């Protein structure tokens, strides 16, 4: 270790020192000291050659600081990376600092600074700072002994894909032709960091750049066909308690003249320094967790209630969570197709709408012969026609079942069930309570040899028992038939209290011009169904309505053709569109909406014949294909289309088709071909061409098994839970494919072009977030994603945490008081407001407040950030019980020494009888008062004549008098004081009985007359 440190010390001398401006010291103050938002340190030291753009970068940061109230200091000295110095700064920006710049101690200091809450911004060559050091790999977001494999300064298009982060939200979606130094990364950081900007390198032959996800790599031929040509350019992440932002923008001096570069730089500095908040976790794969909620296999439909209950359907059953709540009587694959909950499901209308094929005529498709229980015709085995219902059921949460007898058929029709598949079935409500539900064209691909658009009208391909009137080979009789419900997106408004017989005015109404997305496609007539909102679909598997804008997301499959064909047109294509008005989406004439015209098919057994121009049987509405415009008859998808099918019962001319936004197949994503003078694509016979005969504007999409689904548009809830997906995803459109793992994406659309078929301006891969083998997607009202797979129903939740920084109130209680010191901790921000329970407010990063009581109290910190955002957090302050106040005061009183005796009446013995032996008694009382600690009561005979004896003149009683107090033993009286009682406490006027005895013997000689003696009682104190 010593050698390594010495080696580093030697290398310190090779660091280039670059200071800019009038420099006379190693650290320069380059912004007003009065800045309110703190300080930023710009470090320009590098172990390589100084980058020519460094002075421009420093000047830009200084100007941004001056304009945005933060002070900027500049240094090239590594010694500035010290604990004491960094403590002064909110963030440190390393500008083109490459190589071994910091010694071990300085590296540790910078690590401690950032992980402890500081901010770091790396620019340009800083990508190569301290390569091989683990912490710096984390700090910068790149790995590898050499983090880059090259760089070039070229003009490229830049995507600012994060529309909410302060570093990118004000910049355009796509910034055209910005010249900068763009690096190639040794290891792709996407998914490990939060990317806010990317640079496009993929382009069409005309130079138009195209977006990619920086992740998807198609192996083998697919990879060569549409390789990954996009790189992460700017990103950020939280590092410990701090924040790190890296950008490769700013590699040239001219870049700092660009508003977009300065906007990003300002947002990066302010976020890293905590002056503004931002989420740098949303696009990190590890911040999402999938939890299985139910194990129902083969889920075909999924919806969620606002409280998180998950309703899912298999072909023959309805489940809530893992609990089956209803069985449907269906036949084969013709079962349950779609689910939707009443818009007021949580407000007293517990209704579930189900689209399904009932096998029988009764409730839930049960077989019944009772006319009173028959709700519809059910399935007809003879004609191979089946009833298709949209019914409303009442859900009983307590019993976890559909209420018996609650089915109300809102809408139904008879449709071919001769072949399984291509039946559609998705459902959703808009903001006005209008119900959208989709259907498929019911056409059999085999009747068309799985090629081109399905328009084979040969009578061989008609339903048995239909008299040749219903075709399963010609989708012009269904999807393109304005008078049929098949191959459509239908829209009605269910009545609040529907009747028992379905129909307009009885169970539903037709939305008018004031409805979201305008009126339906056709007014009521004998040639068009008024319920049709959009037409020209093959098999709509998925629809979702944007809760904010009512924009419809729809996804559908198309032809089963496996490869491009010069004769017939493009291979099978999955399509998805953003729909904002009624319209026609082209099937079976066109693919991807109006983008590709199929070769018209002439009626024939075995798939139909290829139509040509100039023949009597050339279909109306076709134009010539091929380079010269004379090879075959292809439908002209640029204008209104004819419907001359013998199975058409509707209008003979239908609206011109609209484009899909996204389309893909085995030939690639958003593929296209050169066009001839008629607008017909010049198709080839391969899916994998890499020449100029094929272009792909969605290289992230490939494959597809006719199972595309849309999850709709993400909208973050107004009151999001902690696991709701972040605002980064708000407004993004989710699209996935059950059969092609390459299509698991969130698409950022341009609002100005999406209604006209515009492609995404940026895409994020969700492949590392979503479970495998998904079947459907559903964005819940709780802000999380629900999906059904072949293993059950899953909930994908966000686990990355809130935007950073955020209010971080801290406190210390003054011991023994209700006084509390508060500080804003790592809140960031530029101003601070406090409110306290019980009243009281304060401002500032550090404040002191005295609460009116101890116990649990509340304090709310509101942090105001540099962009005006206000964020509050309330904490509970636990104040220990405050002890009672104590104070001593001396109170005095003087009790004098008092010894008091009070004797009762004189004691007199009864008359003594001479010659008779006896003991005579007499009593008196003595009352004692003493203030001494210890006092003693004594009695004595102080006379000089016969002490202790009664006397009669000069004659004494022969026996001495005995004396006692209370019940104590008698003792003879004498001239010596006799102790009668001792007290060890003061005595308060205690009265005692004093007893006397005079014993007389029968031989005692007695003198007549009065015997007497005066005794002395003494109360004395024996201690102080």
């Amino acid at each position: 270790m010593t050698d390594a440190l010495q080696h580093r010390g030697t290398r310190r001398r090779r660091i280039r020192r670059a200071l800019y401006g009038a420099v006379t010291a190693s650290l320069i103050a380059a912004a007003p000291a009065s800045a309110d938002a703190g300080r930023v340190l710009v470090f320009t030291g590098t172990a390589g050659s100084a980058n020519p753009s460094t002075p421009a970068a420093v000047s830009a940061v200084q100007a941004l600081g001056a304009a945005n109230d933060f002070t900027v200091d500049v240094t090239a000295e590594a010694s500035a990376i010290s604990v004491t110095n960094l403590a002064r700064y909110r963030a440190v920006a390393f500008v083109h600092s490459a190589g071994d710049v910091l010694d071990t101690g300085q590296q540790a200091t910078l690590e401690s600074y950032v992980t402890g809450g500081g901010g770091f911004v790396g620019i340009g060559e800083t990508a190569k700072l301290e390569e091989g050091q683990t912490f710096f790999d984390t700090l910068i977001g790149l790995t590898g002994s050499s983090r880059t494999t090259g760089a070039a300064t070229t003009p490229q298009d830049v995507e600012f894909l994060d529309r909410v982060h302060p570093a990118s939200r004000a910049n355009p979606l796509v910034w055209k032709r910005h010249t900068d130094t763009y690096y190639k990364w040794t290891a792709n950081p996407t998914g490990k960091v939060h990317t806010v900007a990317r640079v496009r390198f993929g382009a069409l032959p005309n130079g138009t750049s195209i977006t990619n996800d920086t992740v998807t790599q198609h192996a083998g031929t697919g990879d060569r066909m549409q390789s990954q040509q996009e790189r992460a350019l700017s990103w950020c992440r939280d590092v410990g308690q701090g924040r790190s932002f890296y950008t490769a923008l700013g590699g040239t001096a001219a870049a700092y003249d660009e508003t977009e570069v300065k906007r990003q730089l300002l947002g990066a500095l302010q976020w890293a320094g905590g002056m503004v908040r931002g989420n740098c976790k949303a696009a990190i794969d590890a911040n999402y967790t999938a939890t299985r909620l139910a194990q129902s296999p083969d889920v075909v439909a999924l919806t969620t209630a606002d409280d998180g209950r998950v309703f899912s359907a298999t072909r023959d059953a309805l489940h809530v969570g893992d609990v089956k709540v209803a069985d449907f009587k269906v036949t084969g694959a013709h079962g349950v197709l779609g689910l939707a909950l009443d818009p007021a499901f949580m407000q007293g209308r517990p209704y579930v709408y189900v689209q399904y094929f009932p096998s029988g005529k009764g409730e839930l498709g049960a077989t019944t012969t009772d006319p009173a229980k028959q709700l519809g015709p059910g399935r007809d085995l003879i004609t191979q026609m089946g009833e298709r219902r949209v019914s409303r059921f009442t859900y009983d949460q307590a019993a976890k079942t559909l209420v018996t007898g609650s089915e109300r058929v809102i809408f139904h029709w008879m449709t071919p069930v001769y072949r399984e598949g291509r039946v559609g079935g998705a459902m959703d409500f808009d903001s006005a309570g209008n119900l959208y539900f989709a259907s498929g064209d019911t056409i059999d691909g085999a009747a068309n040899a799985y090629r081109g658009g399905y328009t084979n009208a040969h009578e061989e391909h008609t339903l048995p028992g239909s008299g040749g009137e219903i075709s399963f080979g010609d989708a012009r009789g269904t999807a393109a038939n304005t008078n049929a419900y098949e191959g459509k997106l239908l829209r009605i408004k269910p009545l609040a209290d529907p009747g028992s017989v379905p129909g307009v005015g009885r169970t539903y109404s037709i939305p008018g011009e004031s409805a979201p997305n305008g009126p339906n496609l056709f007014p009521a007539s004998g040639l068009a169904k008024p319920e049709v909102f959009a037409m020209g679909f093959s098999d709509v598997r998925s629809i979702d309505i944007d809760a904010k804008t009512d924009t419809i997301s729809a996804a559908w499959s198309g032809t089963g053709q496996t490869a491009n064909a010069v004769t017939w047109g493009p291979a099978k294509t999955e399509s998805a569109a953003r729909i904002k008005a009624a319209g026609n989406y082209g099937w079976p004439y066109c693919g991807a909406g109006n983008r590709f015209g199929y070769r018209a098919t002439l009626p024939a057994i075995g798939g139909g014949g290829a139509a040509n121009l100039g023949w009597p049987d050339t279909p109306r509405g076709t134009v010539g294909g091929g380079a010269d415009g004379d090879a075959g008859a292809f439908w002209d998808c640029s204008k209104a289309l004819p419907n001359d099918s013998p199975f058409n019962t509707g209008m003979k001319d239908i609206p011109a088709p609209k484009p899909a936004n996204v389309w893909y197949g085995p030939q690639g994503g958003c593929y296209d071909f050169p066009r001839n003078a008629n607008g017909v694509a010049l198709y080839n016979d391969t899916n994998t061409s890499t020449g100029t005969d094929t272009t792909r504007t969605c290289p992230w999409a490939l494959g597809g098994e006719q199972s595309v689904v849309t999850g709709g548009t993400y909208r973050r809830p107004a009151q999001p839970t902690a696991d709701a997906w972040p605002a980064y995803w708000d407004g993004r459109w989710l699209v996935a494919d059950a059969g092609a793992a390459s299509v698991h994406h969130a698409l950022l659309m341009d609002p100005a072009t999406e209604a006209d078929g515009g492609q995404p301006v940026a895409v994020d891969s969700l492949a590392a977030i979503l479970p495998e083998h998904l079947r459907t997607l559903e964005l819940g009202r709780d802000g999380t994603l629900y999906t059904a797979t072949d293993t059950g129903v899953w909930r994908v939740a966000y686990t990355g945490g809130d935007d950073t920084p955020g209010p971080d109130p801290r406190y210390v209680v003054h011991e023994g008081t209700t006084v509390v010191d508060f500080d804003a901790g790592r809140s960031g921000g530029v101003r601070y407001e406090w409110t306290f329970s019980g009243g009281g407010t304060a401002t500032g990063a550090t404040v002191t407040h005295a609460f009116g009581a101890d116990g649990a109290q509340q304090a709310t910190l509101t942090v105001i950030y540099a962009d005006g955002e206000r964020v509050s957090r309330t904490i509970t302050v636990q104040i220990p019980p405050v002890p009672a106040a104590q104070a001593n005061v001396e109170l005095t009183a003087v009790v004098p020494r008092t010894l008091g005796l009070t004797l009762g009446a004189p004691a007199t013995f009864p008359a003594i009888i001479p010659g008779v032996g006896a003991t005579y008694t007499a009593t008196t009382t003595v009352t004692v008062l003493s203030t001494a600690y210890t006092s003693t009561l004594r009695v004595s005979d102080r006379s000089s004549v016969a002490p202790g004896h009664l006397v009669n003149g000069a004659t004494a009683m022969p026996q001495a008098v005995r004396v006692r107090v209370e019940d104590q033993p008698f003792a003879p009286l004498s001239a010596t004081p006799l102790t009668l009682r001792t007290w060890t406490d003061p005595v308060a006027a205690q009265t005692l009985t004093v007893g006397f005895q005079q014993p007389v013997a029968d031989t005692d000689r007695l003198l007549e007359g009065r015997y007497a003696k005066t005794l002395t009682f003494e109360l004395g104190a024996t201690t102080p």
Side-chain angles (χ1 to χ4, degrees), residues 63-74:
L64 291 170
N68 294 278
D69 297 327
F70 59 87
T71 300
V72 177
D73 298 332
V74 184

Side-chain angles (χ1 to χ4, degrees), residues 129-165:
L129 176 67
E130 303 294 346
E131 288 175 312
Q133 298 297 318
T134 301
F135 170 71
F136 285 84
D137 289 349
T138 299
L139 181 67
I140 297 169
L142 295 169
T143 58
S145 57
S146 176
R147 300 190 187 112
T148 65
T149 61
T153 301
T154 57
Q156 304 295 340
D157 290 355
V158 173
E159 300 169 2
F160 291 103
L161 60 161
D162 190 329
R163 307 312 301 162
V164 292
H165 194 279

Side-chain angles (χ1 to χ4, degrees), residues 430 432 434 436 491 510-523 530 533 580-582:
D430 68 14
N434 299 309
Y436 293 78
R491 182 178 68 167
I510 304 297
E513 292 187 2
S514 63
N517 300 314
N520 283 355
L521 189 56
F522 306 112
F533 178 79
K580 299 187 177 184

Side-chain angles (χ1 to χ4, degrees), residues 587-614:
W587 180 259
Y589 307 91
C590 315
N594 65 359
R595 297 184 182 276
F596 306 104
Y598 292 114
R599 182 79 166 267
T601 303
L602 298 178
I605 299 176
N612 292 295
L613 289 179

Side-chain angles (χ1 to χ4, degrees), residues 690-913:
T690 58
T692 58
D693 61 345
T694 306
T695 60
R696 300 169 180 89
T697 56
C698 300
W700 46 273
L702 178 69
E705 296 296 332
Q706 298 190 319
S707 52
V708 61
V709 296
T710 170
T713 306
Y714 178 71
R715 295 298 177 189
R716 184 166 165 85
Q719 301 295 327
T721 57
D723 59 1
W725 287 31
Y728 170 84
W729 304 104
D730 194 79
R732 277 173 161 82
W733 175 26
L734 272 60
V735 175
D737 193 299
S742 70
V743 184
H744 290 71
H745 286 80
L747 314 182
L748 179 62
M749 306 300 292
D750 185 345
T753 64
E754 68 172 350
D756 299 319
Q759 277 78 70
V761 295
V763 294
D764 286 288
S765 173
L766 303 177
I769 296 175
L770 299 181
E772 294 182 343
H773 310 298
L774 60 83
R775 297 174 181 271
T776 185
L777 295 175
E778 174 76 10
L779 286 165
R781 297 292 182 88
D782 60 357
T784 66
L785 178 66
Y786 296 82
T787 180
T789 73
D790 55 1
T791 62
V793 177
W794 297 75
R795 180 176 185 262
V796 183
Y798 170 71
T799 58
D802 201 0
D803 295 4
T804 56
D808 181 32
R810 303 178 182 191
Y811 70 92
V812 175
V813 180
H814 289 216
E815 185 176 359
T817 74
T818 61
V819 177
V820 182
D821 291 334
F822 292 92
D823 72 79
R826 298 190 180 96
S827 300
V830 295
R831 296 195 308 278
Y832 313 91
E833 298 174 353
W834 302 81
T835 58
F836 306 102
S837 58
T841 61
T843 59
T846 59
V847 300
T848 298
H849 180 73
F851 289 97
D854 56 21
Q857 302 293 335
Q858 279 72 48
T860 298
L861 169 62
T862 298
V863 182
I864 299 93
Y865 293 90
D867 57 359
E869 183 181 10
R870 300 171 63 90
V871 184
S872 300
R873 181 184 173 195
T874 299
I875 60 172
T876 297
V877 180
Q878 293 292 344
I879 301 178
V882 177
Q886 295 181 351
N888 296 326
V889 59
E890 183 177 7
L891 182 64
T892 62
V894 178
V895 177
R897 174 63 66 85
T898 302
L899 295 171
L901 280 176
T902 302
L903 296 175
T908 302
F909 292 109
I912 297 174
I913 300 174

